[in-house]
Each structure stands twice: as structure tokens, then as C-alpha cells.
Amino acid sequence: ADTERRRERILAGLGLAGVIVAFAVLGVALAGLGPFVAPRFPFVNRNHLAALENLSALVALALALRSRGPARALWLLGFAASVLACFLTLSRGGVLAFGFGAVVFSVLHLRARHTTDRTSPPFRFGLTAAALVAVLVLSAYLVLDPFVAKVTTLRANDDVRWQLWRPALQVLRDFPLLGVGRGAFADVFMGYQLESARYRFTHVEN
């Protein structure tokens, strides 16, 4: 994007992509065609949905801060829908990533206010804070119980992934530069894994 106009289009496209998908997810759930919590539409992997909504949610919030009138209200609505869809996935990584992104966004927004527009009223920062708080409260109200239940299952003694990371680090130590080769991890890892030897793992993270 070599012009300001094209950059604006890319940002609008990123924001709209997540907003459209978020409303599609909510629409499918409200129509009774899919679950409201932990949706499998339009991605089979809920982490992918959370990643898309994380990408677009804060872009939508930024566009809302830069807009005026009805456009601002629409972008704020899109931001809320994107964050809600992210939380509904029950993706632990997705929710943590959004929290981290929200903190970074707020810090950068405050820095921009102090360095570029010292005379502007604190309305925009208040709008940012209010939007974040409102969305978090709504999301927590809807998915707090199932999300907490999902987080409590991530224990070192129960989650097999904890058992796989130690031998995976041994593989990394033995093949530090070039790895074991594309598609060869599952075969090589069979010689390292100590737990769950009955299973063949193609990826440590899944």
C-alpha cells in the first residue's frame, strides 16, 4: 500500500473481515444452526476464529476512534461483535492474546495523545476505556463459567502437551540448526517421547 488511501482500504478490510465473520457466527447460533459457545463455524479450529477476531477487533476500535457520527457507532458495534466472538471460542490463547493486545493498544493510544494532540479532550481515551470495559463485561457474563472450567483443565498432570514439551526440547537440542526435516517430526519424535507412547504425535502443540 503505497498511498494513504490504499492503507485506509486495507485497514477497513481487516476490520470488516472480522466483523462480518463475527456476525455470521452469532447469526448461525441465533438461528439454531450451531452452538453459541465454542462455535465450529466458519473454521473447524476455534483458535483460528479467535485469531481472526483478534486481528480485526482492535483495528475496528481504532477506526471507531478516528470516525465520527454513525460510522463511529457502527465500528464500535463491530468491535464488540468481534471481541464477543473471540471470547465465545473459549480459546485460552485467543483470550490472553486479546488481553495483551488491549493493553498494548491502550498504551500506544495514550502515547499518541500526549505526543501528537495535547489539546484534545480526553473523550477518545474515555471512549476506548468504556468500549473495552463494556465488551469485557458482556463477554464475561456470557462465557465466564465455561471459560473458567476450560482453563482449570490446563494442569501439568492432566494435559498431555506438558508431557510432550520436555522431549520436544531434546529434539530441538539434537537438531538445532536444520531440524529433522519437513514432515519427519512424527517419526523422529517416536524415539524421544516417554509418555503416551501408544500415540503418534505430528505436532507438539496439538
Side-chain angles (χ1 to χ4, degrees):
D2 55 354
T3 65
E4 184 69 22
R5 185 176 182 181
R6 290 178 179 176
R7 284 193 289 270
E8 293 295 324
R9 288 180 177 177
I10 290 176
L11 288 175
L14 286 175
L16 282 174
V19 171
I20 291 172
V21 171
F23 277 108
V25 170
L26 297 175
V28 167
L30 292 174
L33 301 177
F36 191 67
V37 178
R40 298 286 182 178
F41 173 85
F43 304 107
V44 175
N45 191 320
R46 292 176 287 109
N47 293 316
H48 296 172
L49 175 58
L52 173 64
E53 298 306 337
N54 272 323
L55 177 65
S56 64
L58 295 177
V59 174
L61 179 59
L63 292 172
L65 294 174
R66 294 168 51 180
S67 303
R68 296 182 181 277
R72 172 174 288 172
L74 290 175
W75 279 120
L76 283 176
L77 179 62
F79 165 73
S82 294
V83 177
L84 180 59
C86 174
F87 274 68
L88 288 175
T89 65
L90 300 184
S91 169
R92 292 169 293 211
V95 172
L96 290 175
F98 172 76
F100 179 76
V103 170
V104 173
F105 184 96
S106 300
V107 170
L108 294 177
H109 183 57
L110 276 174
R111 173 192 271 180
R113 284 191 65 246
H114 287 302
T115 58
T116 61
D117 194 4
R118 297 177 182 269
T119 61
S120 64
F123 171 74
R124 290 187 177 182
F125 180 73
L127 180 63
T128 305
L132 287 173
V133 170
V135 168
L136 291 177
V137 169
L138 176 61
S139 301
Y141 174 76
L142 293 174
V143 301
L144 181 61
D145 289 340
F147 181 75
V148 170
K150 185 174 177 63
V151 170
T152 56
T153 64
L154 187 61
R155 294 180 294 183
N157 295 330
D158 297 337
D159 197 316
V160 69
R161 285 172 291 187
W162 291 98
Q163 303 169 11
L164 299 181
W165 290 342
R166 181 175 297 174
L169 291 175
Q170 295 176 0
V171 177
L172 180 62
R173 182 190 62 192
D174 293 341
F175 303 91
L177 296 179
L178 301 178
V180 298
R182 180 176 175 83
F185 174 81
D187 297 324
V188 174
F189 191 64
M190 290 291 290
Y192 287 83
Q193 66 189 60
L194 300 176
E195 304 290 341
S196 303
R198 295 177 300 165
Y199 300 99
R200 184 173 184 268
F201 296 94
T202 59
H203 303 81
V204 177
E205 72 276 7
N206 190 352

